[in-house]
Amino acid sequence: MKRLAITLCLMAAALLSSQSYARDVTLTTELKNYGGDGAYLAIYLTNAQGQYQKTLWVAGKKLKYYKHLSGWARGSGQRKSEYDGLSGASVTEGKTLTVTLDLPDTYIDAGFQLHVDTAVEDMRDNRNDVVVPFTSEGVDKPNNGRGYIKTFTYSF
Amino acid sequence: MLRQFHSLSGLIATLFVVLLTISGAVLSLDPLLERSQAKIAGTSSISVAELAGKLITRYPGTEQIQRHPSGSIIVYFTDGDQTGADLINPLTGATIGAYSSSPIMVWIKNLHRSYLLGTPGRVVAGVAAFFMLLLTFSGAVMLINRLGGWRHIFRPIQGPFKQRLHTEVGRVAVLGLILSASTGLYMSAMTFELIPDYSSAEPGFPTHVDGGVPASIDTLSALKVIPITEFRELVYPYPDDPMGVYSITTDQGSGFVDQATGQLLSYQAYGNPQKLYEFIYMLHTGEGLWWLGLLLGLSALAVPLMAWTGIQIWWSRKQSATTINHNSAARLADTIILVGSESNSTWGFAKTLHDALHRLGFQVHTAPMNQLGHHYPQAKRMFMLTATYGDGDAPASANHFLTRLAKMTKTPDVPVAVLGFGDRQFPEFCQFAKEVEAALITKGWPQLLPFETIHRQSPQEFSRWGQAVSSVLDKELTLVHIPAHPASTTLTLVERVDYGTAVQAPTAVLRFKSPEGSHKGLLNRLLRRSGLPHFDAGDLVGILPPGSSVPRFYSLASASKNGVLEICVRHHPDGVCSGFLHGLAIGDTVEAFIKLNPSFRPASGKAPIILIGAGTGIGPLVGFIRNNKAHHPIHLYWGGRSPQSDFLYETELKRYLEDQRLTKLNPVFSRISQGAYVQNKITEDDVELRQLIGEGAQFLICGGRNMASSVAVAVDKVIAPLGGDVATLKAQGRYREDVY
Ligand SMILES: Cc1cc2nc3c(=O)[nH]c(=O)nc-3n(C[C@H](O)[C@H](O)[C@H](O)COP(=O)(O)OP(=O)(O)OC[C@H]3O[C@@H](n4cnc5c(N)ncnc54)[C@H](O)[C@@H]3O)c2cc1C
Ligand SMILES: Cc1cc2nc3c(=O)[nH]c(=O)nc-3n(C[C@H](O)[C@H](O)[C@H](O)COP(=O)(O)O)c2cc1C
């Protein structure tokens, strides 16, 4: 009986602690009606100096356009391993892209920044359409974009 | 076959191809518009470093500079929270204006690429480009066949107005359309990754960056050596990022530039696939090659016009064609009927035969003689029904028959019966049918029935031939032929002028109009329609005399735009139709229909025109002169009997001489002292005529066939010193006849 209680306690502790190591993060990007084709987006993390750390999502299928997401393309070197399993279709104007992923807690409130680069065929590329600090404080606060993004919000 | 294929693809693809080409034509203006805004003169000596240096103070937040193929320079920048894009004068760095792609052009581009329907629309656009290519090629092959081969591709085109428009426009636009459609197809295949990706490898991000204090951009050595004519794009590093680099793209490749040392850090030249793609892209869009873009845009505009005329040609052909019901496939049929026809009446007879055989349970296949096949596995018997045209020549649907037959090494072992349709008035009565029969015999083809002829589409003679067919079939075959004629119009005689009775050549100029009331209606009045069907001088009117099923043709001396239908008719002794026409009083009516005869027309252009005729042959020639509002040089040679009696159109012709619609009038009369015929006058004027031929003159001859052949002999002699003959002129479309 006692051993069972201990086991349960340990399991609960393990569970709790593992919860505190990673979190489900939801990223919501709503686009403006910019009057063009589907947008390519790259959402990624940099450190406080702006150096690339990790890709969170790439929207858009054609590799030949990736170089137009120039901040991300440089940081990630467009290596497949960087975005494997983290890509999807391009996003039509006016539509909202929502992605949810598992992210280690160590990125939160530790000076990291979320960046979104956007590009649309025959229109300008927007490096840093959105740049926001990745903090608990910023949860659910919409951020306006400078380019094709109307608002960008994250929550966890 | 090819024509059916061409029409069918055209009908299927019309809407999509028309949208594609109209939008494409609008887009073709874009490179020119862009170029007109860009300041590009004298920029070739400027380097990228120099250009970027000019922007430092005005655009501190520069993120990216682009040069479009048109030469426009665009700078993308941030200013606080705002982003912007400006068009720049590369010489001064001054702002020309805010840059944005026009929303209308973006919309049209989307229409062009995907009919505004996203990915499925792009598939459709790709398929439409494919159809366009098929149509262009099949049309080009038809055109080449029609003109008699590659070498004659610039020959004048004949045919009814809409057909001529369709083919003339097609001939001019064909190269542009092939280029647009094939490059468009290539780009579509690229979009759907049906062709391997062209993109060259990206240069690797530099592993080592100096990291020192960024130098001013105008001092960076790598950027100093790139002239802006080769420049495409420069992306700036993040401000405050010591490890950042510039990325530079030129028309040769791309690489990175160290912001501290100005060195080119890693560079990758484009591979051949990418260069090819860019070349094809330029050909398609005209970006960087604005004049080609405009030419392609213009040829694209031909497509809506060709779609419209094409549909009308298809429709009128469908209307006039005889439809054969229960037509079995050639490989299944036990009975084959091959038809040689020019103006379709023989098709009517073939249909009567086809239907009668079908009722008796035969499997019948009916086709044009030009479609003679090598092999009819089930066939037990064959019929060939053919008319004769020109001077004993083949009719349109049999004009390749003899060459096809000659090429066959093994002929089908099926007994055949040849039936000729003709007119005993012609010296070469049923000549073509006779030649067909002779060729079959030479080939050793077995005979089903002896050769037979039908004079003037006689239903009685046809039904008699049917009895001969019955006897070899051992079944009772009844051929009751009721000729079908084109829908006829009722016309009222409004005026007549009589000539020639004194010289035993009674000839009348008859003018008809639509009966009163038939052309009231607001629409008709607005369009100033006369109620007459459309025709031009030189076309023919078919008249059905009461009590006869065979129409007679008369050459038209007026155009429908003249408001009257005018013919010039000679009264033949005992002639049924000419007698009927000469008996008409003002206010009497006739049943008539129009048969276009578009090859008999003066050529457009400035070259002189020589009109030659005798007797009633003056009709269409007067029509041409009357409508010569442009005052082209026209010389008329005409023969009659006596200036006092049958000088047809005398007063009119003299008026046309005065107002210069007619340059020279040469009337010749046979029944006066020292009388002569037109051909004599032609021989006499040889020097002047050679002069005119040297200027590119065209001959148009109208009237009886004896006159026409004498004239041809005379003209041959006139040209001989120039080293040509009438046959050559005919091939060039410069010698045309309307003879009867
Ligand atoms: C393309 C074309 C254009 C023409 N343009 C004109 C024109 O502008 N003006 C004009 O006047 N005519 C023109 N004709 C001729 C016209 O069509 C008629 O052929 C002509 O008017 C005689 O027709 P009909 O009915 O009066 O005579 P039909 O009754 O048809 O007889 C024609 C002549 O042949 C004789 N004839 C009748 N039957 C036979 C027979 N079985 N064998 C031999 N001879 C016979 C008759 O006695 C008569 O002299 C044109 C013909 C063609 C094909
Ligand atoms: C311009 C012209 C030339 C003709 N030449 C001849 C000819 O040389 N010999 C002949 O027997 N019939 C000739 N004909 C008569 C046609 O062969 C005959 O009317 C035939 O029935 C027409 O058939 P289709 O309507 O099927 O073409 C000619 C008819 C025209 C209009």
Side-chain angles (χ1 to χ4, degrees):
Chain A
M1 186 66 202
K2 199 176 175 189
R3 282 181 67 177
L4 182 69
I6 290 171
T7 324
L8 277 175
C9 273
L10 278 175
M11 276 173 66
L15 238 152
L16 276 173
S17 67
S18 80
Q19 264 182 2
S20 66
Y21 283 134
R23 247 181 255 190
D24 269 353
V25 178
T26 302
L27 309 165
T28 310
T29 317
E30 188 187 351
L31 297 190
K32 293 174 185 162
N33 287 312
Y34 48 78
D37 271 4
Y40 275 54
L41 281 79
I43 310 177
Y44 58 104
L45 279 166
T46 65
N47 63 15
Q49 287 76 47
Q51 278 162 341
Y52 170 85
Q53 303 293 318
K54 185 176 170 42
T55 300
L56 303 184
W57 193 256
V58 182
K61 293 247 157 98
K62 295 223 173 91
L63 307 189
K64 66 179 174 220
Y65 294 136
Y66 281 10
K67 64 171 177 223
H68 291 281
L69 302 165
S70 51
W72 171 80
R74 275 184 189 187
S76 66
Q78 296 184 46
R79 280 181 297 275
K80 180 108 177 87
S81 56
E82 293 285 329
Y83 59 86
D84 215 9
L86 296 172
S87 62
S90 59
V91 187
T92 313
E93 59 169 331
K95 292 276 159 43
T96 300
L97 168 76
T98 308
V99 287
T100 301
L101 38 88
D102 239 16
L103 208 61
D105 268 356
T106 46
Y107 285 118
I108 298 165
D109 294 326
F112 289 95
Q113 289 185 318
L114 277 166
H115 292 242
V116 189
D117 289 0
T118 57
V120 170
E121 195 182 349
D122 290 334
M123 293 174 74
R124 69 165 295 160
D125 302 342
N126 293 297
R127 181 167 28 150
N128 294 342
D129 199 327
V130 169
V131 186
V132 285
F134 193 33
T135 60
S136 320
E137 219 168 275
V139 164
D140 286 336
K141 292 208 179 106
N143 303 279
N144 293 332
R146 299 186 311 173
Y148 308 126
I149 296 175
K150 192 169 171 194
T151 57
F152 174 77
T153 320
Y154 59 87
S155 59
F156 44 78
Chain B
M1 261 319 276
L2 194 60
R3 183 198 286 157
Q4 263 128 311
F5 173 80
H6 188 77
S7 317
L8 192 69
S9 353
L11 289 172
I12 294 173
T14 297
L15 178 66
F16 294 103
V17 173
V18 165
L19 276 178
L20 213 55
T21 50
I22 294 181
S23 54
V26 177
L27 290 174
S28 74
L29 297 174
D30 212 28
L32 183 68
L33 292 179
E34 254 209 59
R35 193 185 146 87
S36 67
Q37 286 179 354
K39 296 267 183 305
I40 50 164
T43 55
S44 52
S45 58
I46 302 178
S47 73
V48 175
E50 205 180 332
L51 171 70
K54 287 180 179 142
L55 302 175
I56 297 173
T57 43
R58 204 179 299 255
Y59 295 99
T62 302
E63 289 188 335
Q64 199 176 345
I65 309 174
Q66 271 181 355
R67 179 179 183 271
H68 286 189
S70 62
S72 330
I73 303 285
I74 291 134
V75 56
Y76 294 93
F77 58 92
T78 49
D79 186 5
D81 256 0
Q82 294 299 308
T83 62
D86 280 352
L87 193 63
I88 294 301
N89 180 338
L91 290 171
T92 60
T95 313
I96 296 175
Y99 173 80
S100 63
S101 32
S102 137
I104 299 171
M105 280 297 186
V106 170
W107 187 84
I108 291 176
K109 195 163 180 176
N110 266 319
L111 179 69
H112 186 71
R113 295 203 297 201
S114 65
Y115 303 108
L116 312 174
L117 294 174
T119 307
R122 283 181 181 234
V123 177
V124 179
V127 173
F130 180 64
F131 266 94
M132 201 167 126
L133 204 57
L134 285 183
L135 280 163
T136 314
F137 273 118
S138 54
V141 173
M142 276 161 68
L143 179 70
I144 290 167
N145 287 344
R146 181 165 164 183
L147 292 174
W150 267 113
R151 277 167 297 132
H152 307 297
I153 196 72
F154 294 112
R155 261 193 192 168
I157 292 171
Q158 301 170 14
F161 176 69
K162 279 182 188 127
Q163 228 178 60
R164 236 171 40 230
L165 192 65
H166 191 83
T167 33
E168 288 278 16
V169 167
R171 176 163 69 177
V172 173
V174 62
L175 288 182
L177 293 179
I178 288 180
L179 193 62
S180 290
S182 54
T183 50
L185 196 59
Y186 172 88
M187 284 166 63
S188 182
M190 201 53 110
T191 306
F192 291 103
E193 290 169 356
L194 302 174
I195 310 179
D197 190 16
Y198 61 83
S199 314
S200 305
E202 297 287 327
F205 193 75
T207 43
H208 177 78
V209 177
D210 183 83
V213 182
S216 177
I217 190 163
D218 51 345
T219 64
L220 300 178
S221 51
L223 298 184
K224 277 186 177 171
V225 298
I226 303 171
I228 66 167
T229 42
E230 286 172 20
F231 165 66
R232 286 199 185 161
E233 188 180 71
L234 179 69
V235 181
Y236 285 50
Y238 288 127
D240 314 324
D241 176 3
M243 303 313 283
V245 287
Y246 289 95
S247 3
I248 176 82
T249 311
T250 69
D251 57 7
Q252 310 290 324
S254 57
F256 297 97
V257 177
D258 194 304
Q259 57 175 333
T261 67
Q263 266 181 317
L264 190 60
L265 290 179
S266 82
Y267 176 78
Q268 181 83 49
Y270 298 139
N272 287 335
Q274 172 146 5
K275 287 189 183 150
L276 175 72
Y277 174 82
E278 286 177 359
F279 179 66
I280 291 176
Y281 183 88
M282 175 177 79
L283 289 184
H284 189 81
T285 58
E287 278 181 18
L289 213 56
W290 60 273
W291 56 269
L292 178 72
L294 280 192
L295 285 181
L296 293 188
L298 274 179
S299 39
L301 273 187
V303 172
L305 183 70
M306 287 166 74
W308 170 241
T309 49
I311 288 173
Q312 288 192 321
I313 292 167
W314 169 80
W315 180 246
S316 58
R317 193 166 271 141
K318 202 171 142 59
Q319 292 280 297
S320 64
T322 311
T323 37
I324 305 277
N325 300 317
H326 308 292
N327 203 359
S328 306
R331 75 199 141 75
L332 299 177
D334 53 38
T335 306
I336 311 292
I337 304 175
L338 296 181
V339 185
S341 174
E342 176 97 17
S343 57
N344 282 335
S345 73
T346 309
W347 277 105
F349 286 95
K351 182 179 165 62
T352 304
L353 177 62
H354 184 111
D355 291 347
L357 288 166
H358 175 75
R359 275 194 299 274
L360 292 178
F362 291 99
Q363 301 280 315
V364 194
H365 173 73
T366 299
M369 281 174 74
N370 282 340
Q371 282 176 25
L372 169 72
H374 286 268
H375 191 51
Y376 298 101
Q378 304 294 325
K380 302 277 182 306
R381 61 200 72 77
M382 230 166 149
F383 298 99
M384 291 186 190
L385 278 52
T386 182
T388 295
Y389 266 80
D391 218 1
D393 305 332
S397 81
N399 54 359
H400 300 310
F401 178 83
L402 289 176
T403 32
R404 262 184 105 111
L405 181 68
K407 277 193 203 138
M408 288 171 91
T409 43
K410 196 172 151 286
T411 50
D413 190 22
V414 185
V416 61
V418 180
L419 182 63
F421 289 77
D423 189 328
R424 291 190 193 281
Q425 239 187 317
F426 293 94
E428 307 280 358
F429 177 61
C430 289
Q431 180 58 29
F432 179 69
K434 285 178 192 161
E435 281 169 24
V436 168
E437 170 79 2
L440 293 175
I441 289 172
T442 323
K443 281 266 164 191
W445 203 315
Q447 204 180 47
L448 179 70
L449 278 173
F451 177 71
E452 198 49 80
T453 56
I454 306 285
H455 169 62
R456 288 202 165 177
Q457 301 158 27
S458 157
Q460 294 81 5
E461 288 181 19
F462 186 59
S463 131
R464 215 173 303 139
W465 177 76
Q467 284 161 20
V469 178
S470 296
S471 62
V472 292
L473 289 179
D474 253 347
K475 288 201 178 160
E476 193 49 44
L477 184 76
T478 345
L479 295 182
V480 183
H481 184 65
I482 300 156
H485 293 297
S488 62
T489 324
T490 307
L491 297 175
T492 313
L493 183 70
V494 293
E495 196 184 341
R496 62 178 286 174
V497 188
D498 284 274
Y499 298 87
T501 19
V503 286
Q504 296 79 49
T507 306
V509 171
L510 305 174
R511 297 196 177 96
F512 297 89
K513 281 193 174 177
S514 269
E516 281 302 313
S518 72
H519 54 280
K520 285 284 152 66
L522 184 62
L523 186 66
N524 281 327
R525 237 178 292 169
L526 280 176
L527 295 173
R528 301 185 180 222
R529 282 195 197 152
S530 52
L532 293 169
H534 179 84
F535 58 85
D536 271 310
D539 286 334
L540 302 170
V541 61
I543 299 212
L544 285 159
S548 171
S549 68
V550 186
R552 312 291 198 274
F553 289 99
Y554 296 91
S555 311
L556 287 161
S558 64
S560 47
K561 66 178 179 213
N562 301 135
V564 288
L565 183 148
E566 179 175 310
I567 52 178
C568 181
V569 181
R570 163 86 180 273
H571 187 194
H572 293 261
D574 310 322
V576 175
C577 193
S578 58
F580 161 70
L581 289 171
H582 271 255
L584 292 177
I586 305 296
D588 287 350
T589 60
V590 297
E591 286 301 312
F593 60 90
I594 299 297
K595 187 170 160 231
L596 300 180
N597 184 25
S599 60
F600 195 65
R601 292 276 194 288
S604 50
K606 295 219 157 28
I609 293 162
I610 302 165
L611 304 177
I612 304 173
T616 53
I618 187 75
L621 309 184
V622 158
F624 298 150
I625 299 166
R626 185 181 293 148
N627 291 312
N628 178 27
K629 303 267 160 67
H631 302 292
H632 290 305
I634 295 188
H635 299 250
L636 174 67
Y637 288 88
W638 175 77
R641 290 187 175 173
S642 141
Q644 280 76 41
S645 176
D646 71 343
F647 194 168
L648 306 172
Y649 291 102
E650 181 178 5
T651 41
E652 269 123 314
L653 287 172
K654 289 187 170 150
R655 199 170 69 234
Y656 299 152
L657 260 183
E658 266 165 37
D659 67 18
Q660 290 172 353
R661 278 185 263 185
L662 179 61
T663 314
K664 197 157 179 216
L665 173 63
N666 303 295
V668 191
F669 297 94
S670 56
R671 300 205 180 166
I672 53 176
S673 65
Q674 294 179 343
Y677 298 100
V678 262
Q679 57 268 32
N680 307 131
K681 178 72 178 157
I682 283 165
T683 314
E684 203 174 290
D685 284 359
D686 60 343
V687 179
E688 190 189 347
L689 285 170
R690 274 195 289 275
Q691 162 87 22
L692 294 174
I693 293 166
E695 291 167 26
Q698 180 202 28
F699 287 86
L700 293 168
I701 293 93
C702 185
R705 51 190 56 235
N706 293 337
M707 178 274 310
S709 45
S710 312
V711 165
V713 171
V715 174
D716 252 338
K717 288 206 182 108
V718 168
I719 317 177
L722 297 177
D725 58 5
V726 166
T728 325
L729 286 183
K730 272 188 180 167
Q732 295 169 339
R734 287 172 60 191
Y735 193 98
R736 296 190 177 154
E737 297 174 305
D738 178 31
V739 292
Y740 38 88

